[in-house]
Amino acid sequence: MGGSDKMPLWNKLVLSALYQLDPETAHHVAIWTLENGLSGNYAGSDDPILTTTVLGIEFPNPVGLAAGFDKDARAIDGALKLGFGFVEAGTVTPRPQPGNPKPRLFRLDEDQAVINRFGFNSEGLEPFRKRLSQRINKGPRGGIVGANVGKNKLTEDAAADYVAGIEALTPFSHYLVVNLSSPNTPGLRALQAKDPITDLLERTIAARAKMAAGLETKPPLLAKIGPDLSLQDMQDIVDVALATGVDGLIVGNTTIERPEGLASVKCREAGGLSGLPLTELSTACLAQIYSLCGGKIPIIGCGGVANGQDAYAKIRAGASLVQLYSALVFRGLQLVPEVKRELAALLRRDGFVCVADAVGADHRSDT
Ligand SMILES: Cc1cc2nc3c(=O)[nH]c(=O)nc-3n(C[C@H](O)[C@H](O)[C@H](O)COP(=O)(O)O)c2cc1C
């Protein structure tokens, strides 16, 4: 376990207790603990060098919780107390659905990785909307929350499901995400092709405009894409993103690739791979997208972030914010404060005065 030598005893005990359970049960226990405020508070006040304004929102730090951990928006406040600068809840589907048969979540201990094939298990929009509506009045100071929406498995007009999600959640979210890249819903990733993504973004952007008409602020809308894209796919997505005026991209989701060298027996399970083996692939994809759009579209970098160095690499490659999920499984409650501390030190070491200064630094000759 990377860095486990430095892991405090209490954190080792929490993790080894969770490892006695099957991964999905352990996940439910983690959600329940956060939901009931039993996990403690690791937020503290953030180092000012980490404060950053992106998408018109001031983030206390650039490290967010990725989608999929809190699919039903149950544990937002608990997750914020882990020290995240923002939390993305979902993916939520319009109608409740059970997802794929179990087992569907696998921990690859030797590889510091996770494979999941949940297939959008979701309680549906109604309870999700209700939970977000109960906390939006706190404003950004109460914690920044994104809502990530998807489609039900059997829906044919995919864009209609996304529109339903955006309509329901625009008034209650600080930002919105259309997830076009889960490998576990048949046909979903085909939505990243030029025509479907154009239609989907145009319709969801229109839905957001309609619902935001009476609101003080219009939540930015982002598209979450996968790391398994050809250069042509990426070029098409960037063209459509610039043409439709989508506010940002999340790069990205889990991979269907199985990079060489995976050691765990479970590495051939079907589903999306995340964690350490995804780090390089997703950062390379992010760098490519940043360069194709000439830095004109804010990007949230996600995939394999497990320490400050990984977060910093994504920022230098072009991410304005980063997100993580899988590393939490291996590093537990100490992770987020550690990532933030290391990131702040790296920014200072290289003479940056804020996160924004470092965004895309690898693409410039002077930094
Ligand atoms: C168990 C699990 C469930 C996930 N579910 C979702 C999801 O519902 N929606 C989504 O956009 N991404 C989902 N993801 C992908 C993560 O948000 C993230 O993009 C990916 O795991 C890469 O980040 P990581 O390596 O830090 O985990 C899921 C990931 C995992 C591990």
Side-chain angles (χ1 to χ4, degrees), residues 60-304:
N61 73 72
V63 183
L65 176 61
F69 179 83
D70 190 9
K71 284 177 186 279
D72 295 309
R74 289 182 166 277
I76 290 167
D77 289 315
L80 286 164
K81 286 188 185 141
L82 298 183
F84 287 109
F86 59 110
V87 166
E88 189 170 313
T91 296
V92 59
T93 58
R95 291 163 298 289
Q97 64 175 26
N100 289 327
K102 296 177 190 172
R104 52 194 181 174
L105 178 61
F106 306 90
R107 223 178 44 233
L108 280 57
D109 294 331
E110 296 87 341
D111 302 305
Q112 302 271 301
V114 172
I115 290 178
N116 92 84
R117 52 169 181 266
F118 271 110
F120 290 169
N121 50 314
S122 174
E123 290 178 7
L125 269 177
E126 195 38 43
F128 190 103
R129 189 195 60 79
K130 213 170 184 175
R131 288 180 194 121
L132 287 198
S133 72
Q134 282 159 0
R135 61 181 319 294
I136 188 75
N137 290 337
K138 295 179 185 171
R141 293 204 180 280
I144 297 160
V145 182
N148 175 312
V149 305
K151 71 177 277 287
N152 280 104
K153 185 175 178 182
L154 300 176
T155 299
E156 293 210 352
D157 180 4
D161 271 10
Y162 287 88
V163 165
I166 297 300
E167 283 185 348
L169 300 173
T170 292
F172 307 115
S173 313
H174 296 114
Y175 71 94
L176 300 155
V177 181
V178 292
N179 174 11
L180 309 176
S181 46
S182 165
N184 302 313
T185 293
L188 194 91
R189 286 174 307 131
L191 297 172
Q192 295 172 109
K194 196 159 196 169
D195 288 344
I197 196 178
T198 305
D199 175 55
L200 198 141
L201 289 181
E202 283 175 358
R203 286 166 66 182
T204 48
I205 288 170
R208 189 264 317 256
K210 183 179 87 181
M211 297 310 293
L215 301 176
E216 231 169 80
T217 50
K218 174 176 81 167
L221 189 146
L222 296 85
K224 182 167 178 179
I225 61 175
D228 305 320
L229 299 166
S230 68
L231 189 56
Q232 185 60 52
D233 294 334
M234 291 191 225
Q235 181 68 63
D236 287 347
I237 289 171
V238 165
D239 290 346
V240 173
L242 290 167
T244 54
V246 72
D247 299 292
L249 295 170
I250 304 186
V251 187
N253 219 309
T254 55
T255 178
I256 55 166
E257 297 291 330
R258 295 294 179 267
E260 298 241 330
L262 293 176
S264 307
V265 284
K266 294 175 196 135
C267 72
R268 297 286 151 210
E269 289 289 347
L273 174 76
S274 54
L276 182 60
L278 175 60
T279 317
E280 264 181 45
L281 174 68
S282 59
T283 304
C285 180
L286 153 66
Q288 189 69 59
I289 297 271
Y290 180 85
S291 126
L292 288 172
C293 64
K296 289 198 197 90
I297 303 173
I299 301 172
I300 301 182
C302 181

